[in-house]
Amino acid sequence: MLLLLAAACVVAFVLLLYMVSPLISPKPLKLPGAHVVVTGGSSGIGKCVAIECYKQGAFITLIARNESKLLQTKKEIEKYSVNDKQVVLCISVDVSKDYGHVESVLKQAQEKLGPVDMLINCAGTSTTGKFEDLEVSCFERLMAVNYLGSVYASHAVIATMKERRMGRIVFVSSQAGQVGLFGYTAYSPTKFALRGLAEALQMEVKPYNIYVTVAYPPDTDTPGFAEEIKTKPLETKLISEASSVCQAEQVARVIVKDAIQGNFNSFMGSDGYMLSVLTSGMSPVTAITEGLQQVVCMGIFRIIGLFYLGSFDSIVRRCMIQREKSESTDKTK
Ligand SMILES: NC(=O)C1=CN([C@@H]2O[C@H](COP(=O)(O)OP(=O)(O)OC[C@H]3O[C@@H](n4cnc5c(N)ncnc54)[C@H](OP(=O)(O)O)[C@@H]3O)[C@@H](O)[C@H]2O)C=CC1
Ligand SMILES: CCCCCCCCCCCCCCCC(=O)[C@@H](N)CO
């Protein structure tokens, strides 16, 4: 009897889940004919995101500073056209400098290609090093580009999206925006900031059928990453080995898929999954099953996470001892 009751409860619960899930899950965005703006679209992840959207029939606006890189990328993207109406527009602007300028170029882009359906904030840069070795200007610069750059572009398109009651905004954060690690004192806070912005903004714009996505890519093989690795402290390199290096095409595919579906969280790989569950906090869910998984897995992932943290601490300690040894032998020479 009791067993029957329990079974009935389970069935009722599952039915309830199915009933409420359409309330939570957004309708997918249709990319064919849509206008997609990609900041940082001339290189790395942004370029691959632009190609992925173009392949699916979107019109693209690329935003970055270097004009020749933009034009070269435009040519590269155009090879993937799926119809002869598609356009790739290039805009050279620094997203971190003057809001008025960013606003006016986005207005021009909308006059040419129509209102923005999806904005992907991918322009960003990274500098690693020990806290005391990084100049304070570096903290200011990274916050300006990675955080304020995303604020400016999003601010410039949100009013039209609200009027049209549709749209997608993507913030490209990082796994370093979910956990603070050795060497990332200047970079991590800029990526954590995007998460706070995204949560608050999502709550404001959800009734207008606008969905916000935060992507947390791991180390990804891009020109930016190649630059970063030149000055990376040994500790940061060793710690980062906990998560493998991804290809930009692969990362872009996941970001575009999640953005189309309106998922708040976008991650890749098993460590990406664990980090996202662990750091889900008060972030919104876009499927009931997502919430359930978080409830069930949080505790066990915390235990796994503590082991990771322990191993990171021992990497840092070993490197410190090694450094001190080599410094003292240097002195005796
Ligand atoms: N690669 C990685 O390992 C990871 C990267 N990320 C994030 O993904 C994003 C892209 O990274 P990635 O592809 O490696 O970077 P790249 O350095 O390869 O590309 C960066 C792009 O952003 C543009 N950009 C940089 N600064 C500005 C600015 N001030 N105004 C306008 N455009 C700008 C660059 O063009 P230009 O210089 O001409 O302006 C370029 O198009 C970044 O936000 C990064 O933090 C997240 C996790 C991992
Ligand atoms: C249970 C929990 C598992 C935890 C696993 C933790 C693994 C952390 C590795 C993080 C690597 C940092 C990526 C930064 C990438 C980035 O943004 C820069 N490359 C930008 O250029």
Side-chain angles (χ1 to χ4, degrees):
M1 186 62 197
L2 216 64
L3 215 67
L4 213 67
L5 200 71
C9 281
V10 170
V11 171
F13 185 59
V14 171
L15 274 178
L16 187 82
L17 289 188
Y18 273 103
M19 275 163 60
V20 294
S21 61
L23 292 179
I24 305 180
S25 309
K27 262 225 230 77
L29 180 85
K30 293 188 184 70
L31 270 190
H35 181 190
V36 177
V37 174
V38 188
T39 76
S42 68
S43 169
I45 297 174
K47 175 164 105 180
C48 290
V49 163
I51 291 176
E52 188 62 32
C53 294
Y54 196 69
K55 277 182 179 168
Q56 296 190 36
F59 290 59
I60 310 288
T61 298
L62 300 175
I63 294 182
R65 292 163 306 177
N66 186 308
E67 259 173 80
S68 62
K69 237 172 37 179
L70 276 167
L71 289 175
Q72 200 187 324
T73 307
K74 173 182 154 84
K75 277 195 202 131
E76 209 176 309
I77 296 175
E78 279 169 346
K79 286 188 202 140
Y80 297 94
S81 75
V82 288
N83 65 59
D84 49 14
K85 291 190 200 74
Q86 274 180 295
V87 177
V88 180
L89 184 69
C90 293
I91 297 177
S92 164
V93 67
D94 186 330
V95 291
S96 69
K97 286 264 158 69
D98 173 9
Y99 174 64
H101 197 185
V102 174
E103 193 182 27
S104 84
V105 297
L106 276 164
K107 202 165 157 232
Q108 285 163 25
Q110 306 206 67
E111 278 159 13
K112 287 191 182 130
L113 298 188
V116 177
D117 296 289
M118 180 149 99
L119 165 68
I120 302 185
N121 289 295
C122 200
T125 179
S126 136
T127 306
T128 54
K130 273 184 282 176
F131 185 59
E132 68 273 23
D133 295 340
L134 295 168
E135 306 229 2
V136 292
S137 62
C138 172
F139 289 74
E140 292 163 359
R141 186 174 55 86
L142 290 194
M143 203 48 122
V145 179
N146 298 356
Y147 174 67
L148 290 177
S150 304
V151 172
Y152 293 173
S154 306
H155 197 278
V157 301
I158 201 74
T160 313
M161 282 188 178
K162 282 178 85 168
E163 275 164 25
R164 298 174 66 220
R165 293 188 185 259
M166 66 173 295
R168 295 284 191 272
I169 296 199
V170 180
F171 297 104
V172 179
S173 175
S174 159
Q175 283 189 353
Q178 298 177 299
V179 51
L181 298 166
F182 191 107
Y184 281 118
T185 52
Y187 179 75
S188 269
T190 69
K191 297 297 185 180
F192 272 76
L194 291 174
R195 158 72 177 269
L197 169 67
E199 278 189 11
L201 181 63
Q202 178 64 92
M203 201 180 280
E204 285 188 19
V205 300
K206 199 165 156 191
Y208 296 87
N209 192 34
I210 300 167
Y211 287 88
V212 177
T213 299
V214 192
Y216 303 99
D219 276 336
T220 307
D221 188 9
T222 65
F225 181 62
E227 201 52 43
E228 180 193 59
I229 212 156
K230 288 182 190 162
T231 57
K232 236 181 204 178
L234 179 62
E235 287 89 337
T236 314
K237 280 188 192 150
L238 294 173
I239 289 169
S240 300
E241 281 171 10
S243 193
S244 55
V245 179
C246 277
Q247 291 308 308
E249 292 79 10
Q250 184 191 354
V251 170
R253 259 197 303 276
V254 174
I255 293 177
V256 172
K257 179 192 76 75
D258 284 320
I260 288 174
Q261 287 178 356
N263 295 337
F264 185 76
N265 244 315
S266 179
F267 56 84
M268 30 244 106
S270 52
D271 35 71
Y273 173 67
M274 287 197 283
L275 277 173
S276 287
V277 167
L278 259 181
T279 62
S280 52
M282 280 293 279
S283 68
V285 290
T286 28
I288 297 273
T289 45
E290 190 189 358
L292 275 179
Q293 286 176 42
Q294 290 163 354
V295 171
V296 173
C297 300
M298 186 85 80
I300 183 78
F301 288 177
R302 177 65 176 151
I303 295 173
I304 299 172
L306 289 175
F307 278 102
Y308 271 97
L309 286 178
S311 80
F312 296 163
D313 279 349
S314 85
I315 288 173
V316 173
R317 196 173 297 272
R318 273 204 316 263
C319 287
M320 185 187 76
I321 293 169
Q322 209 69 51
R323 279 221 178 89
E324 280 169 357
K325 254 193 207 153
S326 61
E327 270 163 26
S328 68
T329 49
D330 280 352
K331 269 181 208 149
T332 52
K333 263 182 206 163

